[in-house]
Amino acid sequence: MYFDTVHNFYERHVINEITENYKNSGLDDEQLADMACIALNQIPPRYIRHDIDMSFYMSPVEYEEMGVRVKVAVKKAFNRIQTSDH
């Protein structure tokens, strides 16, 4: 089906941020998945069919801002998960 390629541009970036920086944080897989959901809910979705479409039309400044937006959202999600478990 041609809808299989439709996805939120930020999903891959949030998941990469979590796996690269929080995989060994002491959270289990369920908590990491919850963290991804919390982070993604903080960022307005950008639905696209191909990541290259979004990357191609972004300026370097916009791409950097997107990276910062992801890092901030993931950090907030991490803090929320940590405080909710204690």
Side-chain angles (χ1 to χ4, degrees):
M1 178 181 260
Y2 37 75
F3 295 118
D4 293 344
T5 60
V6 176
H7 64 281
N8 180 353
F9 176 76
Y10 289 105
E11 287 174 4
R12 181 176 57 86
H13 296 280
V14 165
I15 291 168
N16 287 347
E17 176 69 15
I18 291 170
T19 55
E20 290 170 10
N21 299 299
Y22 295 89
K23 188 69 174 165
N24 297 317
S25 66
L27 299 180
D28 63 29
D29 289 345
E30 292 290 321
Q31 291 168 311
L32 293 172
D34 287 345
M35 198 169 129
C37 292
I38 292 167
L40 284 164
N41 282 328
Q42 296 177 55
I43 304 169
R46 290 277 182 105
Y47 288 98
I48 58 170
R49 291 189 56 216
H50 306 285
D51 285 355
I52 192 70
D53 293 342
M54 186 77 160
S55 299
F56 181 75
Y57 293 107
M58 275 186 172
S59 72
V61 171
E62 289 172 315
Y63 193 80
E64 186 175 323
E65 288 172 353
M66 181 270 308
V68 169
R69 191 174 304 124
V70 167
K71 285 182 183 300
V72 168
V74 170
K75 180 66 175 169
K76 285 181 182 178
F78 177 71
N79 291 338
R80 184 167 172 196
I81 292 290
Q82 279 194 313
T83 59
S84 69
D85 289 338
H86 293 106

